[in-house]
């Protein structure tokens, strides 16, 4: 992740600044013009009408940035320096972010290839910007001369300087060159890691077809082989003489469904082993990335990459993070042990005493069975109430109830979309007008980014006293149609994911920062997941669900008893799930922490931490870290999910739980939390929202108060 010019975007706050100069060419999308039906390019950028348009997109971004660099070199006023820096960042990030979204989602190979080229080229240009001493010195001048009149402008100058220095600009030329090499290497390694996951997800072939439960067969590919005992010479009718089976592609979503629903233990075992041992190529990629990031940190005078990336985070140091994680691990251990024993005992009851151990491929299957038996809960029934169109209605409900705005589909101009299934939504407030735009790419398809994620296209920023650049985002999912229905029905876990990602989108769309640098989710990493975790609660509350969760064929409102069973079943293994997240965070901290005098391979590190902080057995030959991409994107920051879980639990309990859809609640969330993006310190935002007690100060850093989170698990905070 690059420093200032990639990671964030500065923004503009001043009333007037080179009015004729800066207005000459802004990289704005036509997303703000809902009446314009003339042809445009992807995401509303006129450049992107064809794949080759990416070349001109990059050319124009570099040209415009060069004009702004020249202007800044003349050392205008501090306010104008920060505003011009913001436009550089906005211009360049428009290319970077559009290329990334295109790379991950566009079905046309030509667009993907040109987006790849544009991405590499613009990132090379970013090195010029991030190591430009003229810009760095101008930012230092703006920070020091005391002429920045707003707190947000002063914060922008501070963050700009720190981000420049994180890029090594203050180092001697030889070291700076090496930092640039390491940053480019990290970019390529992260890309290679992700590509390996897509190219080699692993697969196992299962015969006969009856080994696979009917409700998940639509996820799998039918395959055939000669029926047992039938020679090829005697084959007659294909249907009569071929045995049907299924190929399980062991990507995470399919793998979990197989592990959850398949009664045949051998099938579960084969799928688990394959899914947790590929792609082999990522052994080398991850090792090289760890070494590269460690060398970078050493050059920057830090003990570890974890220490290097903690700058400006709430935690402030790896020691604070690890202490917090170990404290959490100790708190949940007893409850997690009890949960593990319940599942193990169920397996023993079902299989007999010969099955002494609970294997890793057993957990999902037997926890599902136990939930069903204890709470008379059938999770497959839930999907009938969570048809995708109704779930989108749930998003509209949140926007209307909490923020008094509409969230509706709006038409796209020809060329704006990348697939016929994509929707374009607008948040429109009756008094304030359009607040932002959101593309929804909901359905699974070949070649598409395999997970669920939020992509930025444009950050919000103040252009003048009368004009604001509206944020534009995209949410990408991979929801699939079942074998016997044209209607997509979500599991409750998928509904939570939808609400989670929508929380990220709302953070961006409702942000009203002066500077793009602080727009929406451009916040301290260990605060970024808080709004998204908070909105997961709305997917569990009956008072919310009853307003949109209706049976797809009868229109029946979801029964309250079913929702209670759902939540009781979910809470049944809450400590185990929390323990798993703690384990992931500790792996992340260890891989990118201080290097030991005697090097250890990553697999042994993961295995040892699993034994210490999880009840799940480690199986030799499995390597979960080979396709856990969060270790790359969050490098030493995965603990942020635990921070967010604690913060969200406190916000829900103290602000939302009493009346979750109250306009008063929505107003507080918007005005005290969401609209500020990263323009204020996260701890200040949280304290302003709820008062004292949501954060704790520990050894120079900030950690969440864990009380509300532990109360949800029915654990004491001791």
């Amino acid at each position: 992740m690059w420093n200032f010019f990639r990671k964030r975007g500065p923004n503009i706050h001043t009333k007037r600044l080179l009015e004729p100069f800066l207005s000459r060419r802004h990289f704005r999308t036509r997303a703000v013009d809902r009446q314009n039906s003339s042809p445009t390019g992807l995401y509303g950028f006129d450049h992107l009408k064809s794949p080759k348009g990416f070349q001109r997109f990059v050319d124009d971004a570099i040209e415009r940035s060069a004009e702004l660099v020249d202007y800044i070199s003349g050392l205008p006023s501090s306010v104008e320096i920060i505003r011009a820096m913001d436009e550089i960042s906005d211009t360049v990030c428009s290319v970077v972010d559009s290329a990334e979204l295109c790379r991950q989602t566009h079905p046309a190979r030509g667009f993907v290839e040109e987006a790849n080229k544009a991405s590499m080229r613009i990132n090379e240009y970013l090195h010029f910007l991030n190591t430009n001493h003229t810009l760095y010195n101008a930012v230092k001048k703006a920070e020091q001369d005391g002429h920045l009149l707003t707190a947000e402008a002063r914060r922008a100058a501070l963050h700009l300087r720190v981000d420049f220095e994180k890029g090594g600009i203050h180092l001697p030329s030889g070291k700076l060159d090496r930092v640039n090499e390491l940053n480019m290497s990290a970019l390529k390694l992260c890309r290679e890691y992700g590509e390996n996951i897509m190219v080699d997800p692993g697969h196992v072939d299962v015969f006969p077809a009856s080994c696979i439960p009917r409700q998940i067969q639509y996820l799998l590919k039918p395959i055939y082989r000669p029926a047992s005992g039938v020679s090829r010479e005697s084959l007659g009718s294909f249907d009569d003489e071929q045995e049907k089976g299924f190929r399980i592609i062991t990507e995470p979503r399919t793998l979990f469904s197989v592990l959850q629903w398949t009664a045949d233990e051998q099938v579960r075992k084969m799928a688990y082993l394959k899914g947790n041992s590929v792609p082999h190529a990522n052994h080398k990629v991850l090792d090289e990335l760890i070494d590269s990031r460690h060398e970078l940190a050493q050059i920057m005078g830090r003990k570890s990459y974890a220490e290097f990336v903690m700058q400006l985070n709430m935690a402030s140091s790896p020691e604070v993070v690890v202490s917090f994680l170990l404290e959490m691990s100790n708190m949940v251990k007893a409850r997690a042990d009890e949960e593990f024993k319940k599942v193990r005992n169920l397996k023993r009851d079902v299989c007999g005493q010969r099955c002494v151990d609970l294997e890793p491929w057993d957990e999902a299957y037997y926890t599902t069975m136990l939930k069903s038996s204890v709470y008379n809960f059938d999770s497959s029934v839930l999907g009938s109430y969570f048809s995708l169109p109704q779930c989108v209605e749930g998003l509209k409900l949140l926007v209307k109830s909490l923020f008094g705005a509409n969230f509706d589909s709006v038409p796209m101009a020809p060329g704006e979309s990348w697939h016929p299934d994509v929707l374009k939504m607008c948040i429109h407030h009756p008094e304030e007008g359009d607040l932002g735009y959101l593309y929804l790419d909901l359905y699974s398809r070949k070649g598409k980014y395999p997970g669920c994620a939020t992509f930025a296209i444009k950050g919000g920023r103040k252009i003048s006293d009368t004009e604001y650049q509206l944020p534009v985002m995209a949410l990408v999912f991979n929801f699939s149609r079942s074998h016997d229905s044209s209607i997509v029905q979500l599991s409750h876990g998928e509904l939570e994911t939808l609400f989670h990602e929508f929380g990220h989108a709302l953070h961006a769309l409702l942000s009203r920062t002066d500077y793009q640098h602080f727009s929406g989710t451009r916040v301290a990493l260990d605060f970024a997941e808080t709004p998204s975790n908070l909105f997961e609660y709305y997917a569990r509350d009956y008072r919310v669900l009853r307003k949109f969760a209706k049976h797809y064929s009868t229109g029946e409102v979801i029964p309250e008893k079913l929702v209670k069973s759902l939540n009781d079943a979910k809470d049944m293994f809450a400590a185990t799930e929390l323990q798993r997240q703690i384990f992931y965070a500790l792996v992340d901290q260890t891989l990118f922490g201080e290097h030991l005098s005697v090097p250890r391979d990553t697999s042994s590190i993961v295995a040892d931490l699993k034994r210490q902080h999880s009840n799940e057995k480690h199986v030799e030959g499995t390597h979960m870290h080979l396709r856990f991409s969060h270790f790359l994107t969050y490098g030493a920051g995965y603990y942020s999910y635990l921070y967010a879980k604690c913060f969200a639990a406190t916000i829900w309990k103290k602000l939302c739980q009493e009346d979750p859809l109250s306009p008063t609640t929505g107003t507080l969330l918007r005005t005290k939390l969401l609209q500020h993006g990263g323009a204020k310190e996260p701890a200040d935002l949280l304290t302003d929202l709820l008062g004292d007690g949501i954060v704790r100060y520990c050894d120079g850093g900030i950690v969440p108060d864990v009380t509300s989170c532990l109360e949800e698990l029915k654990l004491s905070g001791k």
Side-chain angles (χ1 to χ4, degrees), residues 367-382 385-386 492 496 539-542 545 558-573 714:
T367 54
T368 299
M369 184 184 295
L370 193 55
K371 290 175 182 179
S372 177
S373 63
V374 172
Y375 295 108
N376 192 26
F377 174 68
D378 182 356
S379 60
S380 63
V381 172
L382 280 169
Y385 297 94
F386 297 146
H492 186 258
E496 285 186 317
R540 305 168 198 161
D541 193 287
Y542 178 70
L545 291 174
I558 190 169
E560 185 173 7
K561 182 179 178 181
L562 181 60
V563 175
K564 184 179 186 307
S565 295
L566 162 71
N567 288 320
D568 288 344
K570 183 178 180 64
D571 292 343
M572 194 173 185
F573 297 100
K714 298 178 176 58

Side-chain angles (χ1 to χ4, degrees), residues 608-626:
D608 284 351
L609 287 171
K610 182 179 283 190
R611 294 184 188 101
Q612 295 172 48
H613 300 284
S614 170
N615 285 305
E616 181 181 314
K617 288 172 58 177
H618 175 72
V619 180
E620 290 300 322
T622 59
H623 316 280
M624 58 76 59
H625 52 290
L626 298 186

Side-chain angles (χ1 to χ4, degrees), residues 142-271:
E143 183 186 16
Q144 295 167 3
D145 69 11
H147 294 158
L148 296 173
L149 300 181
T150 70
E152 185 176 342
R154 293 190 292 273
R155 182 173 172 83
L158 167 66
H159 280 240
L160 272 167
R161 176 182 58 78
V162 171
D163 284 336
F164 267 120
E165 291 171 358
K166 286 176 74 173
I169 197 168
H170 58 298
L171 298 173
S173 59
K175 289 186 175 181
L176 178 57
D177 289 342
R178 182 56 180 159
V179 167
N180 289 338
E181 291 174 5
L182 292 169
N183 276 328
M184 282 302 295
S185 173
L187 175 68
K188 293 176 181 177
L189 289 167
C190 288
R191 183 165 295 176
E192 185 179 352
Y193 184 98
E195 290 171 352
N196 288 341
I197 292 172
M198 294 186 70
V199 170
D200 183 18
H203 74 269
V204 294
D205 294 341
V206 176
F207 292 93
S210 58
C211 291
I212 302 297
R214 178 173 171 78
Q215 71 262 37
I216 65 169
Q217 290 181 4
Y218 74 99
L219 295 171
L220 313 180
K221 178 183 178 181
I223 54 175
Y224 299 88
R225 69 181 181 185
S228 177
V230 178
S231 68
R232 291 187 177 274
E233 293 76 12
S234 64
L235 286 177
S237 162
F238 180 86
D239 291 336
D240 292 340
E241 307 298 345
Q242 294 285 310
E243 181 182 24
K244 181 180 179 181
F246 285 101
R247 172 161 292 180
I248 302 171
I249 305 298
T250 54
E251 54 83 25
R253 178 173 178 266
T254 301
L255 176 59
F256 181 76
S257 294
V258 170
L259 295 177
Q260 183 178 23
W261 297 111
T262 304
D264 190 312
E265 183 172 354
Q266 285 306 307
V267 172
R268 296 198 309 270
K269 179 179 179 179
M270 288 191 301

Side-chain angles (χ1 to χ4, degrees), residues 54 113 166 190 260 264 344 387 461 503 557 584:
F54 269 108
E113 290 173 353
K166 286 176 74 173
C190 288
Q260 183 178 23
D264 190 312
R344 185 188 62 192
S387 67
R461 67 186 184 112
V557 173
Y584 293 154

Side-chain angles (χ1 to χ4, degrees), residues 638-652:
Y638 191 80
Y639 74 92
S640 301
Y641 281 100
L642 277 304
Y643 266 44
K645 186 173 182 62
C646 293
F647 288 138
T650 305
I651 296 170
W652 177 260

Side-chain angles (χ1 to χ4, degrees), residues 435-482:
L435 301 181
Y437 298 90
L438 179 67
Y439 296 101
L440 294 178
D441 188 351
L442 299 169
Y443 302 102
S444 176
R445 60 179 178 270
K446 185 177 180 181
K448 180 182 172 182
Y449 173 82
C452 304
T454 305
F455 289 84
I457 298 173
K458 293 289 281 186
R461 67 186 184 112
K462 185 178 181 181
I463 293 174
S464 72
D465 277 353
T466 59
E467 185 175 6
Y468 193 86
Q469 176 176 287
L470 296 181
V472 183
M473 306 292 290
L475 295 188
V476 175
F477 300 93
N478 277 275
F479 301 133
S480 299
R481 294 177 173 87
S482 64

